[in-house]
Amino acid sequence: MEDIGQNSLLLVLGVLFLMILASIRVAKEHERFAIFMLGRFFMLKGPGLVICLPFVQKAVRLTIGDMGKYKGDEIAEYLGYGLPVIADSTPGINTPIRIKSFNNGQVNVEPV
């Protein structure tokens, strides 16, 4: 009986360890992670160590120079996800744009 309790404890600890490993990401200096919580944009995180809750949050890596499309109302589509952006000049709908920089948790873009 003691073996069953020890084995189940080891199994639970192993699963928790794997979940913690799966939740840790590292963003380089020119990268950020767009965090989506339950399908909605939540925040930008990075650079450095980023912890993302498994099954609740999804992290999408953004890099300076990534291309996307402007969808209007300061929303751009990158990799199939809608992100709030700040554009230097207001581009037209479906205009290709590029990530220019990240400032204070915001994505700055420019038309291509």
Side-chain angles (χ1 to χ4, degrees):
M1 285 297 192
E2 292 177 15
D3 290 337
I4 294 173
Q6 288 178 346
N7 288 341
S8 61
L9 179 63
L10 285 175
L11 179 67
V12 169
L13 289 175
V15 169
L16 285 174
F17 180 72
L18 289 176
M19 286 181 64
I20 290 171
L21 280 180
S23 67
I24 297 174
R25 308 275 171 91
V26 177
K28 297 176 186 166
E29 185 177 343
H30 61 280
E31 296 176 334
R32 301 293 185 274
F33 282 103
I35 305 295
F36 291 88
M37 185 175 289
L38 300 175
R40 294 189 61 138
F41 177 76
F42 180 59
M43 68 186 318
L44 284 178
K45 286 188 177 181
L49 189 66
V50 175
I51 297 176
C52 182
L53 300 173
F55 307 113
V56 177
Q57 295 179 334
K58 177 170 178 63
V60 177
R61 185 182 306 260
L62 299 174
T63 306
I64 291 178
D66 279 352
M67 301 290 288
K69 286 189 177 181
Y70 189 77
K71 294 297 184 181
D73 295 329
E74 295 185 350
I75 301 293
E77 182 179 329
Y78 288 97
L79 305 170
Y81 296 96
L83 295 173
V85 296
I86 296 174
D88 293 339
S89 62
T90 306
I93 303 296
N94 287 329
T95 301
I97 56 176
R98 177 182 337 187
I99 294 178
K100 183 173 124 180
S101 64
F102 302 104
N103 289 330
N104 300 326
Q106 298 174 336
V107 180
N108 296 329
V109 297
E110 62 185 358
V112 177

